[in-house]
Amino acid sequence: MDFNWSEPTTIDEHSVSADNLDRAKYAKYLTSLIKAKGGTSKDNLSNYVLNLDAEWGAGKTYFLKRWSDDLKGNHPVVYIDAWSIDYLDSPLMTVLSEIIEQLKQQTDKIDSDETTKKLNEVIKAAAPRIGSALMKRYLGFDFNIFDSSDTEDGLASGTNNDVDFSKAGEKVLEVFCKEVTDSKKSVKTLKSAIQQWVEYVVNNPVKEMRTITNSFPAFIFIDELDRCKPTYAVEMLEAIKHVFDIPGLVFIVATNTKQLSHTVKSVYGVDFNAEEYLSRFFDNKYYLRVNVTEDLLLNNFSTKSITATILQESGVILFPFIKFEKSAFLKLCTEIFNTLKVAPRQAIKILNRVELIISVVKKNTTIDLPLLVTLVALMEKNHEQYEALVDWIKTETSLIQMPEMNAKCQEAVSCLYKPVVEVEIDPKAGRSLYPRVGSAQIDYESSNNHIMFGSAGDKELVVRKEINLSNYIELVLESAAKSDDELSKKVFRAKEELANKVESAHNRFIQNSSNISSGERNTLINEINKARLNAMFYIFRNTMDLEYYQELVEMSANLD
């Protein structure tokens, strides 16, 4: 089967977005795997249970709904949102009723007599000893009608109503559970009836569905089980394992399995080996690893609140993106979120918080965007790492001295090596966009020694550099350390230091250009480019006040 989720669609009258996380490939792979495990013809069928494991917010529900909707063209499919119906007392009754009700929509409605007959067989097997009066009272129909030969009269008179198990009362559920669970004979009869019902649906699909004959297996999707009441979740797994282990039925149970383990322990005790217990219910576990993508963030980025025009009008600089470009910003966010292993739903929440912060900052403010995104992401993902990183920034400790930091701080800082900050700053153009920066140049800008080494080879002071996030934050600290209360004197001295540093590196490069090694050449170029970027902090007034950032981040964290 081909799964194309590149366009939005409608499922059960609800709009569903395009696949921004490239998940269709997982549906294709798992479908092939499950068909191999569950069998595709009547002669080689088996039961198979797959645990689809992913964190909350990773998009399990989206994945299951699109996957199940595509499968309906070729297989009998049942989708059960366990959390939405865990108020019912019997998971066994829930699964049974959903199988009946949903597959009833997928079989050929023309042969109504045969359909009714097959349904009756399942219902009889499910409740062999439930009295007629109770059936009529709690399920809304007279059980005796299934023994009547006058089926058409019953349908015409309205006495043979559709079975709606969701209306079942506690007494019927109690009797049902006792009869089916305690009686091996009842369970065996029920399994046989369900198997025949599924086979009937396979062989008699609704014409418009264009399913092929013998399109086994039937896919039963169980979603949100880890959110259910503990006893309900455990009973659901027991029912799947012991009652619905029917050849031709495959179950896909989507859970945050770590959370489900806690649910099991709440039933059996904290010392109970929940992981081993759960493993006996599933034939395999598949981890749905979903990275955040730029497309996902783009679809959830409010272009109305943050645009280049709005930023320029308010004088807000999102350093180092002086000329703000949404694509560069989202690329940075994507790298940070994936490095920190942020789930897609969590990433959107973080992005919304960053948007809110930017939209409410004072006019004529410079915000260091990589630092802000990192702090907001850590605040949401791992508060201990957030606090550790803040402590590190306060101490202005070089990353070279990482062994002196505590373990949490090392963990927080070391994870920031992977994301890359792409910088391209033209100070001349930037000054024109933000007049508040002023036109007075530092010595380095007016010097002749700002040749751009590399492919560009120009003489303009344009900073083009890729720098990993941890080194970038070090530069932020270095600049902040030189920009305290005595701003005018110390910033002036810092500018002079930068000019001298670049001048010195440039002269060393020129003097040794004939015999310099490639390694030394690259070192000198990096020194020059680092100094240039450091100069941009001063030109665009990027003086950091950590307490200000903390206030922005921690105030936004209360918004959910």
Side-chain angles (χ1 to χ4, degrees):
M1 290 182 61
D2 291 325
F3 296 87
N4 183 0
W5 300 353
S6 59
E7 298 295 330
T9 188
T10 300
I11 300 176
D12 297 330
E13 300 181 353
H14 295 287
S15 297
V16 179
S17 66
D19 180 17
N20 301 131
L21 298 174
D22 193 25
R23 289 166 286 192
K25 62 185 179 184
Y26 299 115
K28 183 176 182 179
Y29 170 76
L30 289 174
T31 298
S32 299
L33 170 70
I34 290 170
K35 288 171 72 172
K37 295 283 188 179
T40 55
S41 66
K42 186 178 178 180
D43 298 328
N44 70 339
L45 297 179
S46 62
N47 176 254
Y48 180 72
V49 183
L50 177 73
N51 176 209
L52 185 72
D53 185 10
E55 292 184 4
W56 284 347
K60 295 188 294 294
T61 296
Y62 173 96
F63 180 71
L64 258 61
K65 286 190 173 181
R66 290 218 69 160
W67 184 14
S68 62
D69 191 61
D70 277 2
L71 285 173
K72 287 179 181 178
N74 295 83
H75 296 272
V77 174
V78 174
Y79 175 89
I80 301 173
D81 181 351
W83 190 34
S84 68
I85 48 180
D86 77 339
Y87 60 86
L88 297 176
D89 289 342
S90 173
L92 219 166
M93 179 73 86
T94 297
V95 176
L96 176 62
S97 63
E98 292 293 340
I99 288 176
I100 291 175
E101 292 298 323
Q102 292 190 39
L103 292 189
K104 197 162 61 174
Q105 307 303 317
Q106 300 172 44
T107 189
D108 193 345
K109 298 177 183 178
I110 297 175
D111 191 3
S112 58
D113 288 346
E114 185 64 21
T115 301
T116 301
K117 179 182 176 183
K118 291 296 180 184
L119 278 171
N120 294 349
E121 291 173 357
V122 177
I123 295 164
K124 282 183 179 181
R129 285 183 285 278
I130 295 178
S132 177
L134 286 176
M135 292 289 281
K136 187 171 184 179
R137 177 180 175 185
Y138 290 106
L139 299 184
F141 63 90
D142 188 345
F143 184 67
N144 290 330
I145 197 167
F146 294 122
D147 292 321
S148 171
S149 60
D150 194 7
T151 305
E152 292 186 5
D153 290 344
L155 287 170
S157 63
T159 53
N160 192 6
N161 296 330
D162 285 342
V163 181
D164 184 357
F165 282 89
S166 65
K167 296 179 181 178
E170 291 183 4
K171 185 63 179 177
V172 173
L173 291 169
E174 179 184 338
V175 176
F176 174 86
C177 290
K178 185 177 188 306
E179 292 293 339
V180 176
T181 305
D182 296 344
S183 172
K184 292 182 178 180
K185 181 179 179 180
S186 295
V187 172
K188 184 177 180 180
T189 304
L190 177 58
K191 287 181 180 180
S192 176
I194 294 174
Q195 188 172 13
Q196 290 179 38
W197 170 235
V198 172
E199 183 179 340
Y200 175 78
V201 174
V202 167
N203 292 325
N204 299 274
V206 176
K207 300 303 182 187
E208 304 86 70
M209 296 181 71
R210 299 188 182 88
T211 54
I212 58 173
T213 302
N214 293 331
S215 55
F216 286 104
F219 287 75
I220 316 296
F221 293 89
I222 310 290
D223 194 12
E224 305 280 24
L225 188 62
D226 48 341
R227 293 179 182 268
C228 293
K229 294 179 296 186
T231 53
Y232 188 90
V234 171
E235 289 176 14
M236 175 75 81
L237 291 173
E238 294 282 0
I240 292 171
K241 181 69 175 179
H242 299 298
V243 178
F244 294 102
D245 58 333
I246 300 169
L249 261 63
V250 296
F251 284 83
I252 299 92
V253 184
T255 63
N256 178 339
T257 307
K258 182 179 179 180
Q259 183 60 39
L260 186 59
S261 297
H262 295 315
T263 298
V264 171
K265 287 184 178 182
S266 71
V267 177
Y268 293 108
V270 292
D271 297 326
F272 184 73
N273 191 335
E275 290 76 14
E276 183 178 343
Y277 172 79
L278 288 174
S279 66
R280 72 189 184 95
F281 292 110
F282 305 123
D283 295 298
N284 288 113
K285 180 191 294 185
Y286 188 82
Y287 295 96
L288 187 63
R289 304 186 190 278
V290 182
N291 286 334
V292 175
T293 66
E294 292 175 50
D295 284 340
L296 174 77
L297 299 184
L298 180 63
N299 287 346
N300 293 275
F301 182 74
S302 176
T303 55
K304 293 181 180 179
S305 60
I306 306 176
T307 66
T309 301
I310 291 175
L311 292 170
Q312 290 163 29
E313 289 176 350
S314 61
V316 174
I317 298 173
L318 300 182
F319 193 87
F321 307 105
I322 310 302
K323 184 180 179 181
F324 181 72
E325 293 183 356
K326 189 164 49 181
S327 58
F329 166 53
L330 294 182
K331 183 177 182 181
L332 173 68
C333 290
T334 300
E335 290 200 30
I336 293 174
F337 295 159
N338 285 330
T339 297
L340 298 178
K341 296 181 172 57
V342 173
R345 188 185 302 170
Q346 201 173 26
I348 293 170
K349 182 189 293 186
I350 294 168
L351 182 63
N352 288 335
R353 287 179 181 169
V354 172
E355 288 182 50
L356 175 66
I357 290 171
I358 295 170
S359 65
V360 299
V361 295
K362 296 182 294 184
K363 289 186 176 183
N364 301 322
T365 302
T366 298
I367 294 291
D368 193 278
L369 202 53
L371 177 63
L372 177 65
V373 174
T374 301
L375 290 175
V376 176
L378 281 175
M379 183 71 175
E380 172 67 23
K381 176 67 177 178
N382 190 318
H383 192 262
E384 288 184 349
Q385 285 190 4
Y386 164 79
E387 291 183 334
L389 184 63
V390 169
D391 289 341
W392 168 63
I393 294 174
K394 286 179 178 178
T395 60
E396 298 171 6
T397 304
S398 170
L399 293 182
I400 298 174
Q401 298 173 295
M402 278 183 58
E404 299 178 11
M405 296 186 285
N406 63 50
K408 282 294 180 185
C409 189
Q410 289 187 45
E411 186 180 357
V413 175
S414 61
C415 73
L416 302 179
Y417 276 104
K418 187 176 180 181
V420 173
V421 182
E422 294 184 1
V423 180
E424 182 169 344
I425 304 175
D426 181 344
K428 183 178 179 180
R431 289 180 189 277
S432 66
L433 292 174
Y434 292 93
R436 71 177 178 84
V437 174
S439 57
Q441 294 184 331
I442 62 173
D443 290 346
Y444 174 47
E445 287 181 273
S446 58
S447 169
N448 292 324
N449 295 330
H450 27 249
I451 296 174
M452 178 64 192
F453 296 104
S455 59
D458 60 21
K459 290 190 176 184
E460 295 181 8
L461 182 58
V462 177
V463 177
R464 297 183 181 91
K465 184 173 179 60
E466 289 187 355
I467 180 171
N468 71 53
L469 183 58
S470 55
N471 288 342
Y472 176 87
I473 294 177
E474 270 197 302
L475 279 179
V476 177
L477 299 180
E478 183 180 327
S479 302
K482 298 172 182 175
S483 307
D484 58 9
D485 295 336
E486 298 181 11
L487 194 62
S488 58
K489 291 182 180 180
K490 292 199 173 186
V491 170
F492 176 78
R493 286 202 297 272
K495 292 174 181 177
E496 292 296 317
E497 290 173 12
L498 286 169
N500 293 335
K501 186 174 182 180
V502 175
E503 185 89 14
S504 173
H506 176 266
N507 289 337
R508 282 156 50 209
F509 181 85
I510 296 298
Q511 291 168 7
N512 298 287
S513 59
S514 59
N515 56 9
I516 193 171
S517 69
S518 59
E520 291 172 320
R521 180 180 187 276
N522 290 335
T523 298
L524 286 171
I525 291 174
N526 284 335
E527 280 186 30
I528 293 171
N529 284 333
K530 180 180 177 182
R532 285 179 165 184
L533 178 56
N534 209 324
M536 297 302 108
F537 283 89
Y538 299 106
I539 293 172
F540 293 99
R541 314 289 174 85
N542 189 24
T543 55
M544 184 190 71
D545 181 342
L546 181 59
E547 290 184 0
Y548 177 63
Y549 279 84
Q550 280 185 274
E551 183 178 358
L552 291 176
V553 172
E554 292 171 14
M555 287 288 285
S556 72
N558 296 322
L559 181 70
D560 208 345

